[in-house]
């Protein structure tokens, strides 16, 4: 169900009570709705669904790791004044806190429209024999409530969000509903094509287990019958415990892993230790939390497919 938040009492910001439809034609050129987003994956979806029918503004400064996002006063004002906000609850604490305080015409929570996995739903469990998580006390510095937020590593879940956003924006702005619907349908077609390429490209891989520095690829593993072994947990900046590194070394030996995947930007979270210890190759797998360089989500996922095919000995 759509989530709408009540506006601030007495509307402290002049004009904030305008509905999205009214803002779409404000006499200043009819630029369409303004949608605020909080991380690159939501930005990609919003830009594709709106097309030229509106504007998308990200409140996340370029290069800021989304788990660590802190909002400036101007960013909070952007959320407050936007016609719509697209975000994922329980992913960025600062965003959750801000949206609990400010008024916004329409708030679309991806968690209401996308089937989210809990940690371990990629069929890899980090609990030891006593049922304790052995990542270490500092590994999950950002509490996601046991839910893996990285749904965008499954293209079909991204398509579901695009469809839902089109419906919610279309209900708020009926004159643009067909445009949003058509844009979402085009996006779904591209994402279904990407899904088929991933499914076909990974189907015959000799190796089915991959080691990553950042446990961000549970959705990808779940969708394409792979097993993710994460050195660090959901938070990419957390340092894994020595016990966790030892466990990863054992699993890598057991499964004949040849490649350890780290993320762009140099955050290895123990990947270099594992690679050095076993004489393995280091390669890059992008969790697409930040805007990719010189491409977009589709291009980054295609690059991930190529990296996995090489690292997993795929024919």
């Amino acid at each position: 169900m759509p989530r709408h938040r009540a506006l601030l009492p007495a509307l402290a910001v002049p004009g904030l009570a305008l509905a999205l439809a009214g803002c779409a034609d404000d006499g200043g050129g009819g630029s369409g709705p303004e949608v605020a987003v909080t991380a690159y994956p939501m930005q990609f979806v919003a830009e594709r669904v709106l097309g030229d029918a509106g504007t998308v503004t990200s409140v996340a400064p370029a290069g800021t790791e989304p788990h660590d996002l802190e909002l400036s006063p101007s960013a909070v004002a952007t959320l407050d004044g936007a016609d719509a906000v697209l975000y994922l609850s329980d992913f960025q604490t600062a965003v959750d806190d801000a949206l609990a305080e400010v008024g916004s015409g329409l708030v679309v929570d991806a968690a209401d429209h996308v089937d989210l996995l809990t940690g371990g739903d990629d069929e890899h469990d980090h609990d030891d024999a006593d049922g304790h998580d052995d990542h270490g006390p500092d590994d999950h510095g950002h509490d996601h409530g046991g839910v893996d937020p990285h749904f965008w590593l499954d293209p079909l879940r991204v398509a579901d969000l695009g469809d839902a956003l089109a419906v919610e924006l279309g209900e708020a702005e009926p004159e643009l509903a067909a445009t949003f619907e058509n844009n979402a349908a085009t996006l779904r077609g591209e994402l279904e094509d990407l899904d088929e390429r991933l499914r076909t490209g990974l189907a015959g891989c000799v190796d089915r287990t991959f080691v990553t520095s950042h446990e961000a690829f549970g959705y990808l593993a779940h969708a394409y019958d792979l097993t993710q072994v994460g050195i660090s947990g959901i938070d990419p900046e957390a340092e894994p415990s020595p016990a966790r590194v030892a466990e990863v070394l054992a699993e890598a030996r057991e499964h004949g892993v040849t490649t350890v995947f780290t993320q762009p930007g140099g955050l290895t979270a123990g990947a270099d230790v594992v690679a050095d210890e076993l004489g393995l190759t280091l390669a890059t797998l992008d969790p697409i939390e930040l805007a990719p360089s010189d491409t977009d989500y589709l291009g980054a996922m295609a690059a991930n497919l190529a990296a996995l095919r090489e690292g997993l000995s795929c024919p």
Side-chain angles (χ1 to χ4, degrees):
M1 295 292 293
R3 294 177 61 176
H4 301 267
R5 295 188 183 272
L7 299 182
L8 293 173
L11 298 177
V13 179
L16 192 60
L18 289 175
L20 192 151
C23 291
D25 185 7
D26 60 5
S31 59
E34 298 178 2
V35 178
V37 298
T38 63
Y40 172 72
M42 271 61 76
Q43 178 181 340
F44 171 76
V45 172
E47 287 177 345
R48 291 299 304 271
V49 170
L50 264 71
D52 295 330
T55 57
V56 177
T57 301
S58 175
V59 299
T64 300
E65 209 287 317
H67 296 264
D68 297 327
L69 178 66
E70 297 293 339
L71 296 177
S72 66
S74 63
V76 174
T78 296
L79 292 175
D80 200 5
D83 300 319
V85 175
L86 176 62
Y87 85 120
L88 175 64
S89 59
D90 297 323
F91 176 43
Q92 297 161 298
T93 301
V95 173
D96 293 337
D97 292 345
L99 289 177
E101 298 296 330
V102 304
S104 185
L106 172 66
V107 175
V108 182
D109 182 356
D112 290 340
H113 305 288
V114 176
D115 183 20
L116 298 177
L117 302 177
T118 58
D121 276 1
D122 60 340
E123 301 180 357
H124 183 73
D125 191 346
H126 300 300
D127 289 353
D128 61 22
D130 297 322
H132 298 105
D133 187 328
D134 55 13
H135 276 307
D138 298 325
D139 188 55
H140 296 288
H142 302 275
D143 182 10
H144 299 287
V147 174
D148 184 347
H150 303 91
F151 70 86
W152 52 88
L153 275 301
D154 179 348
L156 296 186
R157 284 177 166 86
V158 178
D160 290 342
L161 180 58
D163 291 342
L165 180 62
V167 169
E168 294 213 29
L169 290 177
E171 289 176 352
E173 179 51 273
E175 291 185 359
L176 292 173
T179 296
F180 299 145
E181 181 180 352
N182 290 337
N183 289 345
T186 298
L187 176 60
R188 173 170 285 278
E190 294 179 62
L191 292 167
E192 288 179 345
D193 177 69
L194 172 61
D195 171 69
E196 181 60 29
R197 283 185 283 140
L198 284 159
R199 195 169 304 282
T200 301
L202 298 172
C205 299
V206 175
D207 302 324
R208 310 302 300 175
T209 298
F210 64 102
V211 174
T212 66
S213 60
H214 176 199
E215 197 172 67
F217 301 93
Y219 289 89
L220 190 152
H222 187 272
Y224 304 110
D225 192 29
L226 302 173
T227 298
Q228 169 189 231
V229 177
I231 302 172
S232 181
I234 297 296
D235 177 7
E237 295 185 343
E239 287 297 323
S241 68
R244 178 58 194 157
V245 173
E247 184 181 80
V248 172
L249 287 170
E251 292 193 51
R253 290 189 182 99
E254 177 185 352
H255 295 286
V257 169
T258 62
T259 303
V260 178
F261 294 100
T262 187
Q263 69 182 66
L267 288 174
T268 61
D272 49 350
V273 174
V274 173
D276 289 345
E277 178 71 19
L278 300 181
L280 305 180
T281 300
L282 274 177
T284 299
L285 205 60
D286 193 348
I288 321 183
E289 295 175 337
L290 302 176
S293 301
D294 303 321
T295 187
D296 63 2
Y297 167 84
L298 297 170
M301 284 295 286
N304 281 345
L305 172 58
L308 283 169
R309 283 183 51 78
E310 181 172 352
L312 297 177
S313 303
C314 305

